[in-house]
Amino acid sequence: MPMHSDAEYKHRICRAIDFINANLSTSPTVAEIAAAAPFSVFHFQRLFHAIVGETVADFTRRIRLETAARHLVFRPHEDITSLAMELGYSSSQNFAKAFRKHFDVSPTEYRQRHADSREVPRDEQETPDSAQMISASFESSTSDLKVIVRSLPEVRIAYRR
């Protein structure tokens, strides 16, 4: 049996996380998620918990609820029942119960509390395209820049979903 490095395991767990995020509405099984990584179900569950710090089910539940919270704030006219169905809940009652358990308020209360804090999500803001950014960087003075390249120990900074 081939040995795998920590980096390989982490990369495959990230593939599983991406799979979960891409399939929130279909409620993928642990076996389907493990296959996307690819791992055996038993090995996957152990590694996922060790690397991520929570079980696959807890992680999936949390991501669904955090996604729901964002949608409640940034899609103020979307029907809560439609949102629940979009995220794979079998009913709006099941969604409301899970939401209240996680956030200590109902989805409606959460939306109302955060109505004043709405702003355009970062990924929907207008940003200059790559060509504009490159052009601007060449136009600025670069003669006084000193570049130092250093090797640093590996550290986990963040993971973007």
Side-chain angles (χ1 to χ4, degrees):
M1 179 167 288
M3 296 294 293
H4 296 284
S5 68
D6 287 348
E8 173 66 16
Y9 282 143
K10 289 176 184 176
H11 174 73
R12 289 165 64 183
I13 293 297
C14 287
R15 285 176 53 187
I17 290 170
D18 290 341
F19 182 83
I20 292 167
N21 282 306
N23 294 284
L24 284 177
S25 64
T26 61
S27 303
T29 65
V30 174
E32 291 169 331
I33 300 166
F39 285 113
S40 71
V41 174
F42 176 76
H43 194 57
F44 170 68
Q45 287 179 308
R46 283 184 28 248
L47 284 171
F48 191 93
H49 191 269
I51 292 171
V52 177
E54 56 191 328
T55 67
V56 178
D58 289 342
F59 176 83
T60 303
R61 187 177 308 109
R62 180 176 59 80
I63 295 302
R64 277 172 139 177
L65 291 168
E66 289 174 359
T67 300
R70 276 194 313 280
H71 288 207
L72 287 168
V73 174
F74 296 113
R75 296 181 185 177
H77 302 294
E78 183 174 12
D79 178 50
I80 292 175
T81 301
S82 299
L83 172 62
M85 298 301 151
E86 178 184 333
L87 291 173
Y89 287 91
S90 59
S91 70
S92 58
Q93 292 82 6
N94 288 343
F95 168 66
K97 183 178 176 181
F99 195 92
R100 181 179 291 279
K101 184 176 179 183
H102 188 78
F103 289 103
D104 293 325
V105 294
S106 72
T108 303
E109 290 172 294
Y110 187 91
R111 178 177 270 169
Q112 290 167 347
R113 286 184 183 180
H114 293 85
D116 294 337
S117 64
R118 276 190 201 114
E119 57 185 52
V120 178
R122 185 176 189 92
D123 59 349
E124 293 179 18
Q125 292 175 354
E126 284 192 33
T127 57
D129 66 15
S130 299
Q132 290 172 324
M133 292 170 61
I134 291 169
S135 175
S137 69
F138 281 120
E139 290 173 8
S140 66
S141 173
T142 58
S143 62
D144 59 339
L145 293 179
K146 296 186 193 262
V147 177
I148 299 171
V149 177
R150 295 185 180 147
S151 293
L152 299 173
E154 183 178 312
V155 63
R156 184 175 185 179
I157 303 295
Y159 179 82
R160 181 175 182 244
R161 289 194 291 275

